[in-house]
Structure formats: structure tokens, C-alpha cells
Amino acid sequence: MTLQVDVFWSFRSPYSYLATPRLAEIARRYDVQLDIRPVYPLAVRVDGFFKRQDKRWPFYVARDGFRTAQMLGMTFGPPRPDPIVMDLATGDVAKDQPYIRRLTHLGQAAVEAGAGLAFIVEVSKLIWGGQVQGWDQGDHLAQATARAGLDLADLEQVASADAERLEATIQASHARLEEVGHWGVPTMVFQNEPFFGQDRLETLLWRMGQHGLAERG
């Protein structure tokens, strides 16, 4: 029996990036359907989010991200540019968010095209892998999309023509995440039980094992 998991995931989350290769391995190895649900980061969803956090927190996340990537054998670096427009010194987040809106709409369009997981694998590595400066420039995004088996121009057309519908779907994902009792990313939801964080994937596998998780033939 195929088990189903919702994956709430953000292009601005380093921990979402760090979880993604293992999510892809779970999908490859086990009889599991991972339904990717792109969402906006808390900095965009919650007004004044960074103003309420300890100022040391972003520095810890950066340090922890680097060491977790080292442990997992992944490359890692700060996104250039940052997918959200904000003043790191003050915590002010701009109302207009062209990068994260574009990425999240493209991600939802990729999900609907049947390659959501492959898209986030390739694009998150482009943004967070520390190998590319100016991920939004040139053909970097087009090449990443092609590696996912999709055409960027096709996704852009959908994102432009169906912007309101895509936005409504993303907002519905926000509502669903809150409904199951969480707010952060990545959060995996199996049978209405949330598993928050890249360090809860083993716990998720354990829980699915209690419900007949099987390897693919």
C-alpha cells in the first residue's frame, strides 16, 4: 500500500534544502507518495517575524546549516541573492517580494506538472549550494529546471497566466500547515501528524514503518 506524506517546504529555508536529498531518496526507495506543498517563509507570512526573534538566531542557523551540510556531504552557502528582500540589521521585510513569490509560484506550477520534488531538489541546490552567485541571472534557473525534466518558459507561462489560482493554492497550504499544528518548514505530515525539521526524517520513517512502509520492488 502506497503511503502518502505532505511536505511543506520553502525556497528560503536552509533546512528545507538540507532535507531535500533525503526526501528524494525516501521517494526513490520506498512506496511513498510525497506531495510537495510550497509555502512562503515565516518572514513573509508573519508580519514582524524577525523583529521578535533573538538577534543571535540567524547567526546560529547559518552555523548549524554549514555543519549539517558537512555532516550530510552537501555543499552549502548563503543565497545570492536572498530569496526574500529584507534588512538584516533591522529585521524589516519589504512588502514587495519578487524573488520568493516567483520561486513559490514556479514550485507550485512544477508540482502541478508532476515534477515538484525534482524541481525543489535542483532549485534549492542552486540557491543554497554555495556554488552560484546570482542564481536569478542568466540561465541558471532554466538549467536547474531542465535538470528536473521541465521547461522554465512553460512554468513561467503558467505562473503568469494562473497567478491568482497558484496563490490561492499556496495560501491553502499555509492553512493546512496550521491546521495540523505547525508553522515551520520543512514539515512532513503523515496521517495528520506533523514531523518538523530535517532532523525528523528518521522519526517519520519509523512512524511509517508502523503503518506498513515497504521498499519499492
Side-chain angles (χ1 to χ4, degrees):
M1 178 182 68
T2 301
L3 303 182
Q4 187 272 335
V5 177
D6 284 328
V7 180
F8 296 88
W9 193 97
S10 169
F11 288 96
R12 209 274 177 149
S13 163
Y15 291 119
S16 288
Y17 160 64
L18 292 169
T20 305
R22 282 171 289 160
L23 288 169
E25 175 61 17
I26 288 171
R28 184 198 67 78
R29 181 175 176 182
Y30 296 102
D31 187 12
V32 175
Q33 176 183 319
L34 298 183
D35 290 330
I36 307 302
R37 301 187 70 158
V39 295
Y40 293 124
L42 281 169
V44 173
R45 278 187 279 144
V46 180
D47 189 39
F49 174 76
F50 273 103
K51 289 181 177 294
R52 297 197 291 272
Q53 307 306 312
D54 190 300
K55 293 186 181 300
R56 294 168 293 185
W57 180 56
F59 298 100
Y60 175 79
V61 169
R63 183 177 187 177
D64 188 51
F66 273 108
R67 71 181 173 202
T68 302
Q70 287 181 319
M71 181 182 72
L72 296 171
M74 298 171 63
T75 61
F76 185 85
R80 298 170 291 180
D82 191 325
I84 66 169
V85 181
M86 69 173 291
D87 186 324
L88 293 175
T90 65
D92 290 321
V93 176
K95 294 296 183 183
D96 186 29
Q97 291 290 336
Y99 298 132
I100 197 62
R101 178 180 171 85
R102 180 191 182 199
L103 287 168
T104 309
H105 280 219
L106 289 174
Q108 183 59 44
V111 168
E112 295 176 7
L117 180 58
F119 185 79
I120 66 171
V121 165
E122 295 297 339
V123 175
S124 65
K125 185 176 181 180
L126 174 67
I127 296 170
W128 287 100
Q131 307 296 305
V132 175
Q133 182 168 354
W135 58 262
D136 61 321
Q137 302 297 316
D139 64 350
H140 294 307
L141 194 55
Q143 288 187 11
T145 304
R147 289 193 294 272
L150 298 171
D151 184 89
L152 180 60
D154 291 342
L155 294 185
E156 295 277 22
Q157 184 176 9
V158 172
S160 177
D162 295 341
E164 290 188 8
R165 181 183 59 77
L166 293 173
E167 182 68 17
T169 302
I170 293 162
Q171 294 302 327
S173 290
H174 295 166
R176 174 58 179 159
L177 179 58
E178 292 184 5
E179 180 185 8
V180 298
H182 219 282
W183 52 91
V185 291
T187 292
M188 290 63 65
V189 178
F190 173 64
Q191 295 192 349
N192 290 319
E193 183 178 9
F195 298 79
F196 167 60
Q198 60 86 25
D199 54 350
R200 288 296 178 266
L201 289 172
E202 288 299 322
T203 310
L204 171 64
L205 286 170
W206 166 77
R207 177 66 84 204
M208 290 193 294
Q210 296 177 324
H211 292 268
L213 178 68
E215 295 197 14
R216 296 189 186 276

